[in-house]
Amino acid sequence: MDGQSSLGIVVIGRNEGQRLIDCLTSLGPHIVRTIYVDSGSTDGSVAAAEGLGARTLRLDMSAGFTAARARNAGFAALTSAVPEITMVQFVDGDCMVDEDWLARAAQELDDHADLAVVCGRRRERFPEATIYNWLCDREWDTPIGEADACGGDALFRRSAFEAARGYREDLVAGEEPELCLRLRRQNWKIRRIDAEMTLHDAAITRFRQWWRRSVRAGHAYAEVSWRYRGSADAIWTTNTRRALLWSALLPAALLLALLVGPVALLLLLAYPAQIARLALKGGWREARHWQAGLFSVLGKFAEAEGIARFHLRRLQNRRSQLIEYKS
């Protein structure tokens, strides 16, 4: 059996509208080995997916939604319906898959028995529409080669996914890096190859959406790093500490220093200095790089909000809640 005929696809989404249709259409003949997992859509997504030839599954929403739950449910349903599948491509419903990606990724897994996951270049579909979309496109441009983690779009070896028991369904964000950590603990490898993979439509048009997305990132940093605290391969501890440094510790130090004298206001220069440092890394002549530096610093305050949310709910023994940004 060749690599592509042993490959299936899990698409997850909710109220993605035309983006879902574009996503499923981009799969071409692979649609017959595709399952679309719907999480409570009210826009006719299930009917549209069925009309295009995909299998569909309505996620039981009574247990609450996480992307991890949807992907696990899709994986189980797909491998049950098509048991010969040995590779599963996960795709978010707001993404279009490059026409050459599946063949290229399947060949990579076939050629390297130690690989559990292959990912490629995810790009924003409309990066110039808003600064927020451009920042997402910049975020997706990760280094080529062996990696610590993948994102929501990636091709998984079925046996590796099953050995790791899939995603942690109670994680509201950060489920992909957490799974990849467990895979690496089992001596599997994750690799990003130099190939176009997907076009993603973040559709972030307002500051509030970007802020909530950054809050979600902070929540993920806090929750996953808390779970692995004290372990040799702790994950996202540095990200959590960095967010707290810029958003809490430095302002607190500034307030304390003001008791000594106004010279402490010089500490405020740390923020423009950090923005300038980040801008210079990208190219100081480009205004977008200065904007990226500014949003990177602002983002630490949003991330700190997410960190605080996680720990507050943890101390209250309450379950984390989904943080959505597209609404």
Side-chain angles (χ1 to χ4, degrees), residues 31-218:
I31 195 71
V32 298
R33 295 185 302 280
T34 296
I35 188 162
Y36 166 62
V37 184
D38 186 83
S39 302
S41 291
T42 57
D43 65 351
S45 289
V46 173
E50 291 173 345
L52 291 170
R55 292 176 172 86
T56 60
L57 173 67
R58 294 179 187 268
L59 191 68
D60 178 6
M61 299 297 287
S62 64
F65 168 78
T66 66
R69 276 194 67 226
R71 293 190 185 115
N72 282 349
F75 178 90
L78 182 65
T79 53
S80 176
V82 193
E84 64 269 22
I85 283 175
T86 61
M87 309 174 193
V88 176
Q89 172 74 42
F90 290 100
V91 185
D92 290 345
D94 55 4
C95 294
M96 296 173 62
V97 178
D98 186 86
E99 61 180 352
D100 297 323
W101 167 252
L102 294 172
R104 179 78 183 277
Q107 189 63 55
E108 192 75 14
L109 281 187
D110 279 339
D111 291 346
H112 303 279
D114 59 346
L115 277 183
V117 187
V118 178
C119 55
R121 177 64 158 104
R122 180 194 246 200
R123 294 185 187 274
E124 273 305 307
R125 192 173 178 181
F126 305 109
E128 299 306 320
T130 67
I131 179 62
Y132 313 115
N133 286 0
W134 182 83
L135 289 169
C136 287
D137 189 72
R138 193 169 181 258
E139 177 186 324
W140 306 141
D141 194 11
T142 56
I144 304 297
E146 192 166 334
D148 287 340
C150 65
D153 305 334
L155 181 66
F156 279 75
R157 191 183 301 277
R158 175 181 176 177
S159 59
F161 188 88
E162 289 176 332
R165 299 185 178 181
Y167 294 101
R168 300 285 193 202
E169 296 191 354
D170 57 339
L171 288 175
V172 298
E175 68 277 0
E176 305 99 340
E178 194 279 335
L179 171 56
C180 287
L181 173 58
R182 287 185 282 118
L183 287 168
R184 289 188 287 108
R185 282 181 163 184
Q186 296 178 6
N187 296 318
W188 289 102
K189 292 182 178 179
I190 294 92
R191 181 173 298 156
R192 184 196 159 188
I193 61 175
D194 188 12
E196 297 299 311
M197 181 176 62
T198 52
L199 278 176
H200 174 259
D201 188 7
I204 302 178
T205 60
R206 304 187 304 278
F207 178 83
R208 179 178 179 274
Q209 292 175 291
W210 170 83
W211 182 271
R212 287 183 63 81
R213 185 174 183 272
S214 299
V215 170
R216 188 181 70 172

Side-chain angles (χ1 to χ4, degrees), residues 19-38:
R19 289 180 297 204
L20 176 65
I21 294 172
D22 293 341
C23 172
L24 296 173
T25 301
S26 74
L27 302 178
H30 296 282
I31 195 71
V32 298
R33 295 185 302 280
T34 296
I35 188 162
Y36 166 62
V37 184
D38 186 83

